[in-house]
Every structure is written in C-alpha cells, then in structure tokens.
C-alpha cells in the first residue's frame, strides 16, 4: 500500500514538474523580443518601397519592431497591414524558431506613368498606383488621358510592356484631336498612329515590318507620321 502511494506521489510530482517547466518556458518565450528582422523583396524589381517603410508597417507604431514581444505581433494583422500599402502586391510574414521575423515582399509593377495634375502609375493589372518616393519607374509617359479612361487604354499599355520591340522604342502615348492614340518613339521624331485600341497584334506586326524595311532603306528620318489604323496598311506622311 505504501509503495503504491509513493508511486502515485512520485508520478504526481513528475506531472507537476512538467507543467511548471512548460509554464516557465512559455512565460520566457512570451517575454522574448524579436531578435532580428529580415526583409526580402522577391523577384527582380525596382525599389518602389524600401526596407525602412516595410519596417514601419510591421508594427502599428513608429518604434523598432525588435522591441516588440513575440506574443504582441499578430502575423495575420501584419500581413494585412503590408498588403494594404499601395506599393505592395503581396506579402508573406513569419517568425522563425530562433526569434527572427521574416517578411517576403512582392511589389506592384508599374507599366506606365500618367501625366496628370496628380501624376500616377498604371500597374500590370490595370489598376492605378501612386508615384514612389524611393524610385522613379522608367515607363512610357501617358498624355491627355484621365483616370476613367485607363480601362480603355490599358490593353495598349500592356501590349507595349509585353512586346520587347515596343518596350524598347516607345516612350510616350498621346491622344490626338480625333481621340485616337499615338505613340512617341525614343529615337525617331515621327508619331505612330495606333488609332483605336483594337487589332493590336496586326498593327504591331505591320509596324515592325515597315520599321525593318525603312531601317534598311535609311528612310526612317523622312517621315512625320506613320499610321497603322487602316486594315493591313501602313500609311506614311512625309515631313
């Protein structure tokens, strides 16, 4: 009987010890501060948002994130805070077992800049985004286009972004007096009249063929305007 009681007391003491150790470890873990913050910008992108900005977004106040206890930092809330930033497309925030806070950031990608009273970018998804305080994107400048007209012009902007030939040569997009779109080139002074945003593949194909022939003929500097708005035709106006 005494042996059984002794065994029971020893087992109870062991359980109590384990509970106390867990409680002590949990308390110490809660009291631990974040040791280090690592911020990674995924994909090769220009720095439209910098590490200092991300650090400020990681917590609700302006202090250092390393001064915050691990139990205070709610990762879902942190991710929502980062994702709400107008320069960030997506974020992934997590804590490592040794107390490091890591944030993986994917920025939004601007493909054009609209010259307005308050200038703004158009991103790869067709949405607007503000200019960055950290970096100025090297993208075509859009003139005479309002924010409400972005959905209409977006297929043209996307085509310029995705086509290496257009991306290399086009520096500006204008709306002419007839409401048609024209392209400004980096080197040559002639305007390329796209017309309405339709049949873009065919128009770009025709322009590339014209460009290569005129380049061989050394005649590209002779033109004032090159129109692609007529079906399967390239109509040129001399200076």
């Amino acid at each position: 009987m005494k042996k059984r009681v002794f065994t029971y007391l020893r087992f109870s003491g062991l359980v109590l010890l384990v509970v106390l150790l867990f409680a002590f470890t949990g308390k110490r873990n809660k009291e631990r501060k974040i040791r280090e913050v690592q911020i990674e910008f995924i994909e090769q992108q220009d720095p439209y948002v910098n590490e200092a900005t991300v650090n400020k977004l990681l917590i609700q106040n302006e202090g250092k994130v390393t001064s915050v206890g691990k139990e205070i930092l709610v990762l879902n809330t942190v991710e929502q805070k980062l994702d709400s930033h107008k320069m960030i497309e997506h974020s992934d925030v997590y804590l490592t077992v040794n107390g490091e806070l890591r944030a993986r950031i994917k920025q939004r990608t601007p493909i054009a800049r609209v010259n307005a009273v308050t200038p703004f970018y158009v991103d790869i998804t067709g949405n607007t985004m503000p200019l960055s305080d950290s970096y100025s994107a090297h993208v075509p400048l859009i003139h005479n286009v309002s924010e409400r007209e972005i959905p209409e012009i977006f297929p043209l902007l996307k085509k310029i972004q995705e086509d290496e030939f257009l991306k290399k040569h086009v520096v500006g997009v204008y709306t002419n007096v007839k409401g048609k779109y024209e392209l400004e080139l980096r080197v040559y002074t002639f305007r390329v009249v796209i017309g309405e945003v339709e049949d873009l593949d065919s128009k770009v194909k025709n322009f590339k063929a014209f460009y290569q022939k005129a380049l061989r003929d050394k005649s590209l500097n002779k033109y004032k305007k090159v129109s692609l708005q007529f079906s399967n035709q390239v109509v040129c106006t001399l200076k």
Side-chain angles (χ1 to χ4, degrees):
M1 182 69 178
K2 290 182 179 180
K3 185 177 181 181
R4 186 177 299 175
V5 171
F6 177 74
T7 302
Y8 174 77
L9 290 174
R10 186 171 62 177
F11 178 75
S12 299
L14 183 61
V15 170
L16 180 60
L17 179 62
V18 171
V19 170
L20 290 173
L21 285 173
F22 268 107
F24 178 73
T25 303
K27 184 175 184 298
R28 286 197 61 184
N29 187 58
K30 284 185 177 183
E31 290 175 350
R32 272 184 199 162
K33 304 298 182 182
I34 294 168
R35 293 178 54 252
E36 186 180 352
V37 179
Q38 291 189 6
I39 299 169
E40 176 190 359
F41 293 95
I42 62 176
E43 302 184 4
Q44 293 297 320
Q45 294 180 295
D46 296 317
Y48 302 111
V49 58
N50 55 34
E51 289 193 13
T53 300
V54 174
N55 266 307
K56 289 181 181 180
L57 291 169
L58 286 172
I59 52 176
Q60 299 298 317
N61 54 50
E62 298 297 319
K64 294 181 179 180
V65 72
T66 49
S67 67
V68 177
K70 289 169 65 178
E71 83 287 358
I72 296 176
L73 201 68
V74 181
L75 297 183
N76 287 340
T77 303
V78 172
E79 285 187 353
Q80 291 173 7
K81 184 76 173 177
L82 289 171
D83 291 345
S84 68
H85 192 276
K86 293 182 178 180
M87 294 295 176
I88 295 175
E89 180 179 324
H90 176 72
S91 67
D92 181 23
V93 182
Y94 59 97
L95 279 167
T96 64
V97 292
N98 59 352
E100 290 182 353
L101 177 67
R102 297 184 180 178
R104 302 179 78 242
I105 306 295
K106 186 179 187 302
Q107 301 176 102
R108 295 173 66 186
T109 304
I111 61 173
R113 173 173 171 162
V114 178
N115 186 21
V117 176
T118 302
F120 59 89
Y121 289 128
V122 179
D123 76 0
I124 194 67
T125 65
N127 293 310
T128 62
M129 59 184 284
L131 302 188
S132 169
D133 295 330
S134 303
Y135 188 84
S136 181
H138 301 294
V139 292
L141 189 60
I142 314 304
H143 303 268
N144 306 326
V145 171
S146 65
E147 186 172 344
R148 63 181 177 81
E149 294 172 304
I150 296 302
E152 178 185 329
I153 195 177
F154 175 66
L156 175 58
L157 302 181
K158 188 176 180 182
K159 184 68 176 177
I160 295 170
Q161 169 70 16
E162 294 175 346
D163 188 284
E164 289 301 322
F165 177 84
L166 295 179
K167 191 174 181 179
K168 176 182 177 181
H169 289 284
V170 176
V171 295
V173 180
Y174 290 79
T175 304
N176 63 25
V177 292
K178 296 181 180 180
K180 309 298 183 182
Y181 296 110
E182 298 183 359
L183 307 181
E184 178 186 6
L185 303 183
R186 187 180 306 279
V187 177
Y188 300 99
T189 57
F190 63 84
R191 292 280 185 88
V192 180
V193 182
I194 291 291
E196 296 181 354
V197 183
E198 58 184 19
D199 300 324
L200 290 178
D201 290 340
S202 176
K203 290 176 179 179
V204 172
K205 182 180 178 181
N206 291 340
F207 177 60
K208 288 179 179 178
F210 157 80
Y211 184 92
Q212 294 301 327
K213 183 179 185 305
L215 186 63
R216 289 194 301 271
D217 297 341
K218 298 181 180 179
S219 60
L220 286 169
N221 288 316
K222 296 180 180 180
Y223 303 111
K224 178 181 179 181
K225 189 170 291 187
V226 174
S227 179
L228 308 173
Q229 59 185 325
F230 306 106
S231 180
N232 293 320
Q233 297 182 56
V234 178
V235 179
C236 302
T237 304
L238 295 172
K239 290 181 179 178

